[in-house]
Every structure is written in structure tokens, then in C-alpha cells.
């Protein structure tokens, strides 16, 4: 169970120069992060998202293995809101002497054991209560899970406790898988696994010698987590029809393929069969002694 304490466990913040030293340290870290992003052929923004995911593994004590940004930001929002509530209760105690505590659990997240916040006396009361502490938080979570399952069965929905099994999440996962599979079918390297550059596909040429063609101009380059459902469906349909695909670029190649959807064979280019005379008249190959 995670216990939020904004006072006793942050004595270092009492030093007036601590935040200045922290800012200086983070500025140096950002310089190192930018150099790392350049070496990995990634944008700084994309790299910072990976860093946020890395920090989230510690903050939320969960095993996040895939860059599911929508899930990460949801966890960040929940944790920030709970910490704000805890600070409000601590300020309430300091101003009025009222002690309180708040206990929160997420029945859809097996990795979250609980959140305990509030005044120091309120938190101490819950920790030392016979039916409180970690065991009490687990019991409370178990009750919430049962309620969630009962509610789901009454409405005919699945009783699974994961809040991420939604149609939008399924579309996002499908798009991730199809793009990754299509890219790695073109770029084959036993030592390096190709990853899509969602916000800047042009980097694929420098990183893997691969070009993305057929991306619709109506959809901005962005991570699937920020796309609309209709945009995800359109990209999946284009991938299934090979209208959007990855093309291998040979070293030194100058005639790069156009970023247009691939044809279906019914619109072949017959311009080779035409010849322009000096009078700019078009003469068919059949009328010439070819």
C-alpha cells in the first residue's frame, strides 16, 4: 500500500537551495537525454515519453511493458488527484485541527494495493487498526472487485476487472501490431528490431532504410493513443489493402517512391506507349513502326 506523506519524508525540501540544485541537475539531465535521443534517432518528445513510462513503473509499482500512453496518463491523473486530496486534508488539520485520512483502491488494477493519505494522526490510526493497514486495504479492494463483477454480470458485460479492454484500446493494439509487423517484414535485422516513428516517419529512412508510403494526408502524424477511432480504422484498412505500406530504400537511391496509396492494378501507367512529336501531337505506338 502506497502512503503519501508531504511533510515528514521530505525534509530535504526544507533547504531553501534544494530546488535550485534540483533544477540545475535536471537541466544537465535534459542535455544528456537530448544527446541520447539523437543517438537513437528519436525525437526528444518521444524519448521523454519513454522516460515518463520508466518513472511510472516506480510510481505505480506495476509492470508496464508496452508504451500504452493512454493508460500511463490515466494513472498519472489518478495519482496526482489523490496526492492533492491528501495535501488538502493535511492543510485542513494544520488550520482547524481536524484529523482525517483517505483510502483509495483501484479494483481494475491488480498491481495497485491501495493509496493512504491524510493527516499524520489519521494515517497512523489506519496503520495500527486491527483490521486496517495493508490487510484492510486488500479487503476493501476485494469488496470493490466483487461489486464490479456483480455490476458487470447484471448488465450483461464481462466480469473481467481490467478497465483497458475497450474497443478503442483494441483498435490501438491492432494498429500497433499491424504497423510493427508490416515494418519488420521489410526491415529484417537479427540484431535490431525496427520500431515505427509515429510522429516523424521520415526518420525511418535514416534509421532503417525504409520509407512509409500511402499515409493519408487527412491524418496528422501522431501516436495511436491520440488518434480518433475513425482514424485508427482508416489506417488499419489502408494497411490491410496494402494502400499504405513500407518500402525498402536502397543506399544511394534518388528516385524515392511517392507517398501515394498503391494502385490495385487497374490504373497502370501506359505513358511509355505515347510519343510527342515536335508539333506536340500525341502519336500512338501502334501508328509508328515500333
Amino acid at each position: 500500500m502506497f502512503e503519501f506523506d508531504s511533510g515528514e519524508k521530505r525534509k530535504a525540501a526544507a533547504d531553501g537551495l534544494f530546488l535550485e540544485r534540483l533544477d540545475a541537475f535536471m537541466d544537465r539531465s535534459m542535455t544528456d537525454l537530448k544527446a541520447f535521443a539523437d543517438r537513437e534517432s528519436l525525437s526528444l518528445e518521444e524519448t521523454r515519453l519513454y522516460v515518463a513510462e520508466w518513472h511510472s513503473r516506480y510510481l505505480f509499482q506495476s509492470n508496464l511493458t508496452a508504451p500504452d500512453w493512454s493508460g500511463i496518463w490515466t494513472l498519472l491523473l489518478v495519482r496526482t488527484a489523490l496526492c492533492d486530496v491528501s495535501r488538502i486534508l493535511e492543510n485542513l488539520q494544520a488550520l482547524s485541527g481536524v484529523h482525517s485520512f483517505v483510502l483509495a483502491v483501484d479494483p481494475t488494477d491488480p498491481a495497485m494495493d491501495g493509496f493512504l493519505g491524510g493527516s499524520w494522526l489519521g494515517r497512523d490510526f489506519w496503520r495500527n487498526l486491527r483490521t486496517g493497514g495493508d490487510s484492510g486495504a486488500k479487503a476493501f479492494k476485494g469488496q470493490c472487485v466483487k461489486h464490479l463483477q456483480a455490476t458487470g454480470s447484471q448488465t450483461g458485460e464481462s466480469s473481467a476487472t481490467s478497465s483497458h479492454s475497450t474497443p478503442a484500446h483494441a483498435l490501438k493494439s491492432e494498429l500497433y501490431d499491424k504497423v510493427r509487423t508490416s515494418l519488420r517484414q521489410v526491415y529484417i535485422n537479427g540484431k535490431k528490431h525496427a520500431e515505427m516513428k509515429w510522429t516523424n516517419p521520415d526518420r525511418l529512412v535514416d534509421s532503417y532504410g525504409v520509407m512509409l508510403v500511402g499515409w493519408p494526408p487527412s491524418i496528422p502524424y501522431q501516436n495511436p493513443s491520440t488518434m480518433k477511432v475513425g482514424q485508427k480504422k482508416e489506417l488499419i484498412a489502408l494497411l490491410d489493402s496494402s494502400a499504405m505500406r513500407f518500402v525498402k530504400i536502397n543506399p544511394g537511391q534518388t528516385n524515392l517512391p511517392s507517398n501515394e496509396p498503391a494502385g490495385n492494378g487497374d490504373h497502370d501507367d501506359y505513358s511509355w506507349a505515347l510519343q510527342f512529336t515536335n508539333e506536340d501531337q500525341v502519336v500512338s505506338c501502334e501508328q509508328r513502326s515500333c
Side-chain angles (χ1 to χ4, degrees):
M1 180 176 62
F2 176 84
E3 180 178 347
F4 178 78
D5 185 347
S6 64
E8 293 89 344
K9 296 181 180 179
R10 298 189 178 185
K11 294 181 180 179
D15 183 353
L17 298 178
F18 169 76
L19 293 180
E20 293 184 12
R21 295 195 298 270
L22 179 61
D23 287 339
F25 171 77
M26 294 308 299
D27 287 341
R28 293 194 298 271
S29 298
M30 286 299 299
T31 302
D32 294 339
L33 183 63
K34 186 178 185 305
F36 174 78
D38 292 339
R39 290 197 301 270
E40 296 296 323
S41 299
L42 295 173
S43 66
L44 179 60
E45 291 76 13
E46 188 176 1
T47 306
R48 291 182 69 174
L49 288 176
Y50 279 104
V51 173
E53 180 197 359
W54 182 86
H55 279 292
S56 297
R57 295 194 189 104
Y58 165 74
L59 290 175
F60 309 116
Q61 302 174 2
S62 60
N63 296 322
L64 299 174
T65 57
D68 183 3
W69 306 120
S70 61
I72 291 176
W73 298 130
T74 299
L75 290 174
L76 284 171
L77 179 63
V78 171
R79 180 56 59 88
T80 301
L82 290 174
C83 292
D84 288 344
V85 169
S86 183
R87 291 190 186 96
I88 291 173
L89 295 179
E90 290 185 76
N91 292 334
L92 178 65
Q93 186 277 323
L95 293 174
S96 64
V98 175
H99 285 277
S100 58
F101 71 91
V102 56
L103 175 67
V105 297
D106 184 356
T108 66
D109 185 359
M112 180 181 178
D113 295 328
F115 176 96
L116 177 63
S119 66
W120 65 268
L121 188 59
R123 289 183 279 111
D124 187 66
F125 168 80
W126 175 257
R127 286 195 307 268
N128 296 319
L129 189 65
R130 180 184 296 271
T131 57
D134 290 337
S135 59
K138 291 179 181 178
F140 178 43
K141 182 174 182 178
Q143 186 66 25
C144 294
V145 170
K146 291 180 181 179
H147 175 74
L148 183 64
Q149 291 174 339
T151 303
S153 61
Q154 290 175 0
T155 57
E157 298 175 351
S158 172
S159 60
T161 60
S162 174
S163 64
H164 304 303
S165 299
T166 62
H169 183 268
L171 276 175
K172 181 178 65 176
S173 298
E174 182 180 0
L175 181 57
Y176 269 123
D177 292 339
K178 286 183 178 293
V179 169
R180 184 181 295 112
T181 300
S182 179
L183 174 59
R184 292 181 179 178
Q185 285 177 346
V186 176
Y187 179 81
I188 302 175
N189 189 321
K191 297 182 180 180
K192 186 177 182 181
H193 295 295
E195 293 292 344
M196 174 60 179
K197 313 296 183 184
W198 291 100
T199 58
N200 190 3
D202 292 339
R203 286 179 170 268
L204 293 171
V205 177
D206 295 331
S207 300
Y208 312 119
V210 174
M211 182 177 181
L212 173 65
V213 297
W215 183 285
S218 59
I219 301 179
Y221 292 134
Q222 57 187 312
N223 192 282
S225 297
T226 60
M227 292 181 186
K228 298 179 180 179
V229 172
Q231 293 174 328
K232 298 174 188 175
K233 290 182 177 180
E234 181 178 353
L235 292 179
I236 290 175
L238 290 173
L239 284 168
D240 290 340
S241 64
S242 297
M244 186 173 75
R245 65 203 186 280
F246 295 94
V247 177
K248 185 70 175 178
I249 303 299
N250 296 323
Q253 182 175 348
T254 57
N255 56 332
L256 299 180
S258 173
N259 188 24
E260 295 291 338
N264 56 9
D266 297 332
H267 304 285
D268 292 334
D269 184 9
Y270 292 100
S271 59
W272 58 270
L274 300 177
Q275 175 182 354
F276 290 89
T277 65
N278 293 333
E279 292 78 12
D280 294 333
Q281 295 178 345
V282 180
V283 180
S284 169
C285 182
E286 295 177 353
Q287 297 174 344
R288 299 166 46 230
S289 56
C290 298

